[in-house]
Coordinates of all heavy atoms in Angstrom, one line a residue:
M280 N 9.8 0.5 -1.2 CA 9.2 1.7 -0.6 C 7.7 1.4 -0.3 O 7.1 0.7 -1.1 CB 9.2 2.9 -1.5 CG 10.6 3.6 -1.4 SD 10.9 4.6 -2.9 CE 11.6 3.4 -4.0
A281 N 7.2 1.9 0.8 CA 5.8 1.8 1.0 C 5.2 2.9 0.1 O 5.9 3.8 -0.4 CB 5.4 2.1 2.4
L282 N 3.9 2.9 0.0 CA 3.2 3.9 -0.8 C 2.4 4.9 0.1 O 2.2 4.6 1.2 CB 2.3 3.2 -1.8 CG 2.9 2.3 -2.8 CD1 1.9 1.8 -3.9 CD2 4.1 2.9 -3.5
L283 N 2.0 6.0 -0.5 CA 1.4 7.0 0.3 C 0.2 7.6 -0.5 O 0.3 7.8 -1.7 CB 2.4 8.2 0.5 CG 2.0 9.4 1.3 CD1 1.8 8.9 2.8 CD2 3.0 10.5 1.2
I284 N -0.9 7.7 0.2 CA -2.1 8.3 -0.4 C -2.1 9.8 -0.1 O -2.0 10.2 1.1 CB -3.4 7.6 0.2 CG1 -3.4 6.1 -0.2 CG2 -4.7 8.3 -0.4 CD1 -4.5 5.3 0.5
D285 N -2.3 10.6 -1.2 CA -2.2 12.1 -0.9 C -3.6 12.6 -0.6 O -4.6 11.9 -0.8 CB -1.5 12.8 -2.0 CG -2.3 12.9 -3.3 OD1 -3.5 13.1 -3.3 OD2 -1.7 12.8 -4.4
D286 N -3.7 13.8 -0.2 CA -5.0 14.4 0.3 C -6.0 14.7 -0.8 O -7.0 15.3 -0.5 CB -4.7 15.6 1.2 CG -4.0 16.7 0.5 OD1 -3.9 16.7 -0.7 OD2 -3.6 17.6 1.2
S287 N -5.7 14.3 -2.0 CA -6.7 14.5 -3.0 C -7.6 13.2 -3.1 O -8.6 13.2 -3.9 CB -6.1 14.7 -4.4 OG -5.3 13.6 -4.8
C288 N -7.4 12.2 -2.3 CA -8.2 11.0 -2.2 C -9.7 11.4 -2.0 O -10.0 12.2 -1.2 CB -7.7 10.2 -1.0 SG -8.8 8.8 -0.6
I289 N -10.5 10.7 -2.8 CA -12.0 11.0 -2.7 C -12.7 10.0 -1.9 O -14.0 9.9 -2.0 CB -12.5 11.2 -4.1 CG1 -12.3 9.9 -5.0 CG2 -12.0 12.4 -4.8 CD1 -13.0 9.9 -6.3
N290 N -12.0 9.1 -1.2 CA -12.6 8.1 -0.4 C -13.6 7.2 -1.2 O -14.7 6.9 -0.7 CB -13.3 8.7 0.8 CG -12.4 9.4 1.8 OD1 -11.2 9.0 1.8 ND2 -12.8 10.4 2.5
C291 N -13.2 6.8 -2.3 CA -14.1 6.0 -3.2 C -14.2 4.6 -2.8 O -15.0 3.8 -3.4 CB -13.6 6.1 -4.7 SG -12.1 5.1 -5.0
D292 N -13.4 4.1 -1.9 CA -13.4 2.7 -1.4 C -12.9 1.7 -2.3 O -13.0 0.5 -2.1 CB -14.8 2.3 -0.9 CG -15.5 3.3 0.0 OD1 -14.7 3.9 0.8 OD2 -16.7 3.5 0.0
M293 N -12.2 2.1 -3.4 CA -11.8 1.1 -4.4 C -10.5 0.3 -3.9 O -10.4 -0.9 -4.1 CB -11.5 1.8 -5.7 CG -12.7 2.3 -6.4 SD -13.7 1.0 -7.1 CE -12.7 0.4 -8.5
C294 N -9.6 1.0 -3.3 CA -8.3 0.4 -3.0 C -8.4 -0.5 -1.8 O -7.7 -1.6 -1.8 CB -7.3 1.5 -2.8 SG -7.7 2.7 -1.5
E295 N -9.1 -0.1 -0.7 CA -9.0 -0.8 0.5 C -9.3 -2.4 0.4 O -8.5 -3.2 0.9 CB -10.0 -0.2 1.5 CG -9.9 -0.7 2.9 CD -10.9 -1.9 3.2 OE1 -11.9 -2.0 2.4 OE2 -10.6 -2.7 4.1
P296 N -10.3 -2.8 -0.3 CA -10.5 -4.2 -0.4 C -9.6 -5.0 -1.3 O -9.5 -6.2 -1.2 CB -12.0 -4.3 -0.9 CG -12.2 -3.1 -1.6 CD -11.4 -2.0 -0.9
E297 N -8.8 -4.2 -2.1 CA -7.9 -4.9 -3.0 C -6.5 -5.1 -2.4 O -5.7 -5.9 -3.0 CB -7.7 -4.0 -4.3 CG -9.0 -3.7 -5.1 CD -9.6 -5.0 -5.6 OE1 -8.8 -6.0 -5.9 OE2 -10.8 -5.1 -5.8
C298 N -6.2 -4.5 -1.3 CA -4.8 -4.6 -0.8 C -4.6 -6.0 -0.2 O -5.3 -6.4 0.8 CB -4.6 -3.6 0.3 SG -2.9 -3.8 1.0
P299 N -3.7 -6.8 -0.7 CA -3.5 -8.2 -0.2 C -2.9 -8.2 1.2 O -2.9 -9.3 1.8 CB -2.5 -8.8 -1.2 CG -1.7 -7.6 -1.8 CD -2.7 -6.4 -1.8
N300 N -2.3 -7.1 1.7 CA -1.7 -7.1 3.0 C -2.6 -6.4 4.0 O -2.2 -6.1 5.2 CB -0.4 -6.4 3.0 CG 0.6 -7.2 2.1 OD1 0.5 -8.4 2.1 ND2 1.6 -6.5 1.6
S301 N -3.8 -6.0 3.7 CA -4.7 -5.2 4.6 C -4.0 -4.0 5.1 O -4.1 -3.6 6.3 CB -5.2 -6.1 5.7 OG -6.0 -7.1 5.2
A302 N -3.2 -3.3 4.2 CA -2.4 -2.2 4.7 C -3.2 -0.9 4.6 O -2.7 0.2 5.1 CB -1.1 -2.1 3.8
I303 N -4.3 -0.9 3.9 CA -5.1 0.3 3.7 C -6.3 0.4 4.6 O -7.1 -0.6 4.7 CB -5.6 0.4 2.2 CG1 -4.4 0.3 1.3 CG2 -6.3 1.7 2.0 CD1 -4.8 0.2 -0.2
T304 N -6.4 1.5 5.4 CA -7.5 1.6 6.3 C -8.0 3.1 6.2 O -7.3 4.0 5.7 CB -7.2 1.3 7.7 OG1 -6.0 2.1 8.1 CG2 -6.8 -0.1 7.9
M305 N -9.2 3.3 6.6 CA -9.8 4.7 6.6 C -9.1 5.4 7.8 O -9.1 5.0 8.9 CB -11.3 4.6 6.8 CG -12.0 5.9 6.7 SD -11.8 6.6 5.0 CE -12.3 8.3 5.3
G306 N -8.6 6.6 7.5 CA -8.0 7.4 8.5 C -9.0 8.4 9.0 O -10.2 8.3 8.8
E307 N -8.5 9.5 9.6 CA -9.4 10.5 10.1 C -10.2 11.2 9.0 O -11.4 11.5 9.1 CB -8.7 11.6 10.9 CG -8.3 11.1 12.3 CD -7.7 12.2 13.1 OE1 -8.0 13.4 12.9 OE2 -7.0 11.9 14.1
E308 N -9.6 11.4 7.8 CA -10.3 12.1 6.7 C -10.2 11.3 5.4 O -11.2 11.4 4.6 CB -9.7 13.5 6.5 CG -9.9 14.4 7.7 CD -9.4 15.8 7.5 OE1 -8.8 16.1 6.4 OE2 -9.7 16.7 8.3
I309 N -9.1 10.7 5.2 CA -9.0 9.9 3.9 C -8.3 8.6 4.2 O -7.9 8.3 5.4 CB -8.0 10.7 2.9 CG1 -6.7 10.9 3.6 CG2 -8.7 11.9 2.4 CD1 -5.6 11.4 2.6
Y310 N -8.3 7.7 3.2 CA -7.7 6.4 3.4 C -6.2 6.6 3.6 O -5.6 7.5 3.1 CB -8.0 5.5 2.2 CG -9.3 4.8 2.3 CD1 -10.4 5.4 1.8 CD2 -9.4 3.6 3.0 CE1 -11.7 4.8 1.8 CE2 -10.7 3.0 3.1 CZ -11.8 3.6 2.5 OH -13.0 2.9 2.6
E311 N -5.6 5.7 4.4 CA -4.2 5.7 4.7 C -3.5 4.3 4.5 O -4.2 3.3 4.6 CB -4.0 6.1 6.2 CG -4.5 7.5 6.5 CD -4.4 7.9 7.9 OE1 -4.2 7.0 8.8 OE2 -4.6 9.1 8.3
I312 N -2.2 4.4 4.2 CA -1.5 3.1 4.0 C -0.5 3.0 5.2 O 0.3 3.9 5.5 CB -0.7 3.1 2.7 CG1 -1.7 3.1 1.5 CG2 0.3 2.0 2.6 CD1 -1.1 3.3 0.1
D313 N -0.5 1.8 5.8 CA 0.4 1.5 6.9 C 1.7 1.1 6.3 O 1.8 0.0 5.7 CB -0.2 0.4 7.8 CG 0.7 0.1 9.0 OD1 1.9 0.5 9.0 OD2 0.2 -0.6 9.9
P314 N 2.8 1.9 6.5 CA 4.1 1.5 5.8 C 4.7 0.3 6.4 O 5.5 -0.3 5.7 CB 4.9 2.8 6.2 CG 4.3 3.4 7.3 CD 2.8 3.1 7.2
L315 N 4.2 -0.2 7.5 CA 4.7 -1.5 8.1 C 4.1 -2.7 7.4 O 4.7 -3.8 7.4 CB 4.5 -1.5 9.6 CG 5.1 -0.5 10.5 CD1 4.7 -0.7 11.9 CD2 6.6 -0.6 10.3
L316 N 3.0 -2.5 6.7 CA 2.3 -3.6 6.0 C 2.4 -3.5 4.5 O 2.2 -4.5 3.8 CB 0.9 -3.6 6.4 CG 0.6 -4.0 7.9 CD1 -0.9 -3.9 8.2 CD2 1.0 -5.4 8.2
C317 N 2.7 -2.3 3.9 CA 2.7 -2.2 2.5 C 4.0 -2.7 1.9 O 5.1 -2.3 2.3 CB 2.6 -0.7 2.1 SG 2.7 -0.5 0.3
T318 N 3.9 -3.7 1.0 CA 5.1 -4.3 0.4 C 5.2 -3.8 -1.1 O 5.9 -4.4 -1.9 CB 5.1 -5.8 0.4 OG1 3.9 -6.3 -0.3 CG2 5.1 -6.4 1.8
E319 N 4.4 -2.8 -1.4 CA 4.3 -2.4 -2.9 C 3.7 -3.6 -3.6 O 4.0 -3.7 -4.8 CB 5.6 -2.0 -3.5 CG 6.0 -0.6 -3.1 CD 7.2 -0.1 -3.8 OE1 7.2 -0.1 -5.1 OE2 8.2 0.3 -3.2
C320 N 3.0 -4.5 -2.9 CA 2.5 -5.7 -3.5 C 3.5 -6.8 -3.9 O 3.1 -7.8 -4.5 CB 1.5 -5.4 -4.7 SG -0.1 -4.7 -4.2
V321 N 4.8 -6.6 -3.5 CA 5.8 -7.6 -3.7 C 5.3 -8.9 -3.0 O 4.8 -8.8 -1.8 CB 7.1 -7.1 -3.2 CG1 8.1 -8.3 -3.0 CG2 7.7 -6.1 -4.1
G322 N 5.4 -10.0 -3.6 CA 4.9 -11.3 -3.1 C 3.5 -11.6 -3.6 O 3.1 -12.8 -3.5
H323 N 2.8 -10.6 -4.1 CA 1.4 -10.9 -4.5 C 1.2 -10.6 -6.0 O 0.7 -11.4 -6.7 CB 0.5 -10.0 -3.7 CG 0.4 -10.4 -2.3 ND1 -0.3 -11.5 -1.8 CD2 1.0 -9.9 -1.2 CE1 -0.2 -11.6 -0.5 NE2 0.6 -10.6 -0.1
Y324 N 1.6 -9.4 -6.4 CA 1.4 -8.9 -7.8 C 2.6 -8.3 -8.4 O 3.6 -7.9 -7.6 CB 0.3 -7.9 -7.8 CG -1.0 -8.3 -7.2 CD1 -1.6 -7.7 -6.1 CD2 -1.7 -9.4 -7.6 CE1 -2.8 -8.1 -5.5 CE2 -2.9 -9.9 -7.1 CZ -3.4 -9.2 -6.0 OH -4.6 -9.6 -5.4
D325 N 2.6 -8.1 -9.7 CA 3.8 -7.5 -10.4 C 3.9 -6.1 -10.1 O 5.0 -5.5 -10.2 CB 3.7 -7.8 -11.9 CG 3.9 -9.2 -12.2 OD1 4.4 -10.0 -11.4 OD2 3.5 -9.7 -13.3
K326 N 2.8 -5.4 -9.8 CA 2.8 -4.0 -9.6 C 1.7 -3.6 -8.5 O 0.8 -4.4 -8.3 CB 2.5 -3.2 -10.9 CG 1.2 -3.5 -11.6 CD 1.1 -2.8 -12.9 CE -0.2 -3.1 -13.5 NZ -0.5 -2.5 -14.8
P327 N 1.9 -2.5 -7.9 CA 0.9 -2.1 -6.8 C -0.5 -2.1 -7.3 O -0.9 -1.3 -8.1 CB 1.4 -0.7 -6.4 CG 2.9 -0.7 -6.8 CD 2.9 -1.5 -8.0
T328 N -1.3 -3.0 -6.7 CA -2.7 -3.1 -7.2 C -3.5 -1.8 -6.8 O -4.5 -1.5 -7.5 CB -3.3 -4.4 -6.7 OG1 -4.5 -4.6 -7.4 CG2 -3.6 -4.4 -5.2
C329 N -3.2 -1.2 -5.7 CA -4.0 0.0 -5.2 C -3.8 1.1 -6.3 O -4.8 1.8 -6.6 CB -3.6 0.5 -3.9 SG -1.8 0.8 -3.7
I330 N -2.6 1.2 -6.8 CA -2.4 2.3 -7.9 C -3.2 1.9 -9.1 O -3.8 2.8 -9.7 CB -0.9 2.4 -8.2 CG1 -0.1 3.0 -7.1 CG2 -0.7 3.2 -9.5 CD1 1.3 3.2 -7.3
S331 N -3.3 0.6 -9.4 CA -4.1 0.2 -10.6 C -5.6 0.5 -10.5 O -6.2 0.9 -11.5 CB -3.9 -1.3 -10.8 OG -2.5 -1.6 -11.0
V332 N -6.1 0.4 -9.3 CA -7.6 0.6 -9.1 C -7.9 2.0 -8.8 O -9.1 2.4 -8.9 CB -8.2 -0.4 -8.1 CG1 -7.9 -1.8 -8.5 CG2 -7.7 -0.1 -6.7
C333 N -7.0 2.9 -8.4 CA -7.4 4.2 -8.0 C -7.8 5.1 -9.2 O -7.0 5.2 -10.1 CB -6.2 4.9 -7.2 SG -6.6 6.6 -6.7
P334 N -9.0 5.6 -9.2 CA -9.4 6.3 -10.4 C -8.8 7.7 -10.5 O -9.0 8.3 -11.6 CB -11.0 6.4 -10.1 CG -11.1 6.4 -8.6 CD -10.0 5.5 -8.1
I335 N -8.2 8.2 -9.5 CA -7.6 9.6 -9.6 C -6.1 9.7 -9.4 O -5.6 10.8 -9.3 CB -8.4 10.6 -8.7 CG1 -8.1 10.1 -7.2 CG2 -9.8 10.7 -9.0 CD1 -8.4 11.2 -6.2
D336 N -5.5 8.5 -9.4 CA -4.0 8.5 -9.3 C -3.5 9.3 -8.1 O -2.6 10.2 -8.3 CB -3.4 9.1 -10.6 CG -3.6 8.2 -11.8 OD1 -3.7 6.9 -11.5 OD2 -3.6 8.6 -12.9
C337 N -4.0 9.1 -7.0 CA -3.5 9.8 -5.8 C -2.6 9.0 -4.9 O -2.4 9.4 -3.7 CB -4.7 10.4 -5.0 SG -5.7 9.2 -4.2
I338 N -2.1 7.9 -5.4 CA -1.2 7.0 -4.6 C 0.1 7.0 -5.3 O 0.3 6.8 -6.5 CB -1.8 5.6 -4.5 CG1 -3.2 5.6 -4.0 CG2 -0.9 4.7 -3.6 CD1 -3.9 4.2 -4.1
A339 N 1.2 7.3 -4.5 CA 2.5 7.3 -5.0 C 3.5 6.8 -4.0 O 3.1 6.5 -2.9 CB 2.9 8.8 -5.4
I340 N 4.8 6.7 -4.4 CA 5.8 6.3 -3.5 C 5.9 7.2 -2.3 O 5.9 8.5 -2.5 CB 7.2 6.3 -4.3 CG1 7.2 5.4 -5.5 CG2 8.3 6.1 -3.4 CD1 7.1 3.9 -5.1
D341 N 6.1 6.7 -1.1 CA 6.3 7.4 0.1 C 7.8 7.7 0.2 O 8.6 6.8 0.6 CB 5.7 6.7 1.3 CG 5.9 7.4 2.6 OD1 6.6 8.5 2.6 OD2 5.2 7.0 3.6
P342 N 8.3 8.9 0.0 CA 9.7 9.2 0.1 C 10.3 8.9 1.5 O 11.5 8.8 1.6 CB 9.8 10.7 -0.3 CG 8.5 11.2 0.0 CD 7.5 10.1 -0.2
N343 N 9.5 8.9 2.5 CA 10.0 8.7 3.9 C 10.1 7.2 4.2 O 10.6 6.8 5.3 CB 9.0 9.3 4.9 CG 9.1 10.8 4.8 OD1 10.1 11.4 4.6 ND2 7.9 11.4 4.9
H344 N 9.7 6.3 3.3 CA 9.8 4.9 3.6 C 10.4 4.1 2.4 O 9.7 3.3 1.7 CB 8.4 4.3 3.9 CG 7.9 4.8 5.2 ND1 6.9 5.8 5.3 CD2 8.1 4.4 6.5 CE1 6.7 6.1 6.6 NE2 7.4 5.2 7.3
K345 N 11.6 4.5 2.1 CA 12.3 3.8 1.0 C 12.8 2.5 1.4 O 13.5 2.3 2.4 CB 13.5 4.7 0.5 CG 13.0 6.0 -0.1 CD 14.2 6.8 -0.7 CE 13.6 8.1 -1.4 NZ 14.7 8.9 -2.0
E346 N 12.5 1.5 0.5 CA 13.0 0.1 0.8 C 13.4 -0.5 -0.5 O 12.8 -0.3 -1.6 CB 11.9 -0.7 1.4 CG 11.5 -0.3 2.8 CD 10.1 -0.8 3.2 OE1 9.1 -0.4 2.6 OE2 10.0 -1.7 4.1
S347 N 14.4 -1.4 -0.5 CA 14.9 -2.1 -1.7 C 13.9 -3.3 -2.0 O 13.1 -3.6 -1.1 CB 16.3 -2.7 -1.4 OG 16.2 -3.7 -0.5
Q348 N 14.0 -3.8 -3.2 CA 13.2 -5.0 -3.5 C 13.4 -6.1 -2.5 O 12.4 -6.8 -2.1 CB 13.6 -5.4 -4.9 CG 12.6 -6.3 -5.6 CD 11.3 -5.6 -6.1 OE1 11.2 -4.4 -6.0 NE2 10.3 -6.3 -6.5
N349 N 14.6 -6.3 -2.1 CA 15.0 -7.4 -1.2 C 14.3 -7.1 0.2 O 13.7 -8.0 0.8 CB 16.5 -7.5 -1.0 CG 16.9 -8.8 -0.4 OD1 16.3 -9.8 -0.6 ND2 17.9 -8.7 0.5
E350 N 14.3 -5.8 0.6 CA 13.7 -5.5 1.9 C 12.2 -5.7 1.8 O 11.5 -6.2 2.8 CB 14.0 -4.1 2.3 CG 15.4 -3.9 2.8 CD 15.8 -2.4 2.9 OE1 15.4 -1.6 2.1 OE2 16.5 -2.1 3.9
L351 N 11.6 -5.4 0.7 CA 10.1 -5.6 0.5 C 9.8 -7.1 0.5 O 8.8 -7.5 1.1 CB 9.7 -4.9 -0.8 CG 9.7 -3.4 -0.8 CD1 9.4 -2.9 -2.2 CD2 8.6 -2.8 0.1
Q352 N 10.7 -7.9 -0.1 CA 10.5 -9.3 -0.1 C 10.5 -9.9 1.3 O 9.7 -10.7 1.7 CB 11.5 -10.0 -1.0 CG 11.3 -11.5 -1.2 CD 10.0 -11.8 -2.1 OE1 9.8 -11.1 -3.1 NE2 9.2 -12.7 -1.6
M353 N 11.5 -9.4 2.1 CA 11.6 -9.8 3.5 C 10.4 -9.4 4.3 O 10.0 -10.1 5.2 CB 12.9 -9.3 4.1 CG 14.2 -9.9 3.6 SD 15.7 -9.1 4.0 CE 15.6 -9.1 5.8
K354 N 9.9 -8.2 4.1 CA 8.7 -7.7 4.8 C 7.5 -8.6 4.4 O 6.8 -9.0 5.3 CB 8.4 -6.3 4.4 CG 7.3 -5.6 5.3 CD 6.7 -4.4 4.6 CE 7.6 -3.2 4.7 NZ 6.9 -2.0 4.2
Y355 N 7.4 -9.0 3.2 CA 6.3 -9.9 2.7 C 6.4 -11.2 3.5 O 5.4 -11.7 4.0 CB 6.4 -10.1 1.2 CG 5.7 -11.3 0.8 CD1 4.3 -11.3 0.6 CD2 6.3 -12.5 0.4 CE1 3.5 -12.4 0.2 CE2 5.6 -13.6 0.0 CZ 4.2 -13.6 -0.1 OH 3.5 -14.7 -0.5
T356 N 7.6 -11.8 3.6 CA 7.8 -13.1 4.3 C 7.5 -12.9 5.7 O 6.8 -13.8 6.3 CB 9.3 -13.5 4.1 OG1 9.6 -13.6 2.8 CG2 9.5 -14.9 4.8
A357 N 7.9 -11.8 6.4 CA 7.5 -11.6 7.8 C 6.0 -11.5 8.0 O 5.5 -12.1 9.0 CB 8.3 -10.4 8.3
I358 N 5.4 -10.8 7.1 CA 3.9 -10.6 7.2 C 3.2 -12.0 7.1 O 2.3 -12.3 7.8 CB 3.4 -9.7 6.2 CG1 3.8 -8.2 6.5 CG2 1.8 -9.7 6.1 CD1 3.6 -7.2 5.4
M359 N 3.7 -12.8 6.1 CA 3.1 -14.1 5.9 C 3.3 -15.0 7.1 O 2.4 -15.8 7.5 CB 3.7 -14.8 4.7 CG 3.3 -14.2 3.4 SD 1.5 -14.2 3.1 CE 1.1 -12.5 3.3
E360 N 4.4 -14.9 7.8 CA 4.6 -15.7 9.0 C 3.8 -15.3 10.2 O 3.5 -16.1 11.1 CB 6.1 -15.6 9.4 CG 7.0 -16.4 8.5 CD 8.5 -16.2 8.8 OE1 8.8 -15.4 9.6 OE2 9.3 -16.9 8.1
L361 N 3.3 -14.1 10.2 CA 2.4 -13.6 11.2 C 1.0 -14.0 11.0 O 0.2 -14.0 11.9 CB 2.5 -12.1 11.4 CG 3.8 -11.5 11.9 CD1 3.8 -10.0 11.8 CD2 4.0 -11.9 13.4
T362 N 0.6 -14.3 9.8 CA -0.8 -14.5 9.5 C -1.1 -16.0 9.3 O -0.2 -16.8 9.2 CB -1.2 -13.8 8.2 OG1 -0.4 -14.1 7.1 CG2 -1.2 -12.3 8.4
Ligands
SF4_695 FE1 -1.5 -2.7 -0.4 FE2 -0.1 -3.2 -2.5 FE3 -1.1 -0.8 -2.2 FE4 0.9 -1.5 -0.7 S1 1.0 -1.3 -2.9 S2 -1.0 -0.5 0.0 S3 0.5 -3.7 -0.4 S4 -2.3 -2.7 -2.5
SF4_696 FE1 -8.7 7.2 -2.3 FE2 -7.7 6.3 -4.6 FE3 -8.2 4.6 -2.6 FE4 -10.2 5.8 -3.9 S1 -8.7 4.3 -4.7 S2 -10.0 5.6 -1.7 S3 -9.4 7.8 -4.3 S4 -6.7 6.3 -2.6

């Protein structure tokens, strides 16, 4: 699954530079995660690093973008081939 930032985000800038896939960008009001780029950190870390650094726990699983571990691994491979 990709992850989702909820609207309690305080725009603290902690998560954006930590994302290994550059999936986090500033949206119109708060930071947003691109579900096409978020691998839940599969391929890079054991757990989602954005969740680890967020001081207010406003990042969670996006129920609209459910993916298996295998699908996340394939997404990681595809992203690496593009970069
Ligand atoms: Fe980026 Fe990892 Fe957070 Fe997804 S889980 S947005 S890949 S830091
Ligand atoms: Fe928002 Fe959390 Fe990212 Fe800070 S770390 S910008 S509060 S999502």
Side-chain angles (χ1 to χ4, degrees):
M280 281 160 271
L282 301 186
L283 184 68
I284 297 173
D285 73 38
D286 60 11
S287 63
C288 170
I289 56 172
N290 296 334
C291 73
D292 307 326
M293 292 289 289
C294 57
E295 186 268 338
E297 298 296 331
C298 178
N300 294 332
S301 300
I303 304 175
T304 54
M305 188 65 194
E307 282 191 22
E308 295 185 355
I309 58 171
Y310 277 92
E311 297 174 347
I312 294 174
D313 184 343
L315 296 177
L316 292 175
C317 176
T318 63
E319 284 187 56
C320 284
V321 166
H323 295 280
Y324 305 119
D325 291 340
K326 57 184 181 180
T328 197
C329 55
I330 290 179
S331 299
V332 301
C333 180
I335 61 164
D336 290 335
C337 69
I338 308 173
I340 297 292
D341 183 347
N343 293 319
H344 292 99
K345 293 186 177 179
E346 293 161 292
S347 68
Q348 196 74 9
N349 197 37
E350 287 171 320
L351 290 169
Q352 187 69 45
M353 287 169 57
K354 191 198 283 188
Y355 163 75
T356 302
I358 291 170
M359 286 303 109
E360 285 174 355
L361 289 173
T362 54

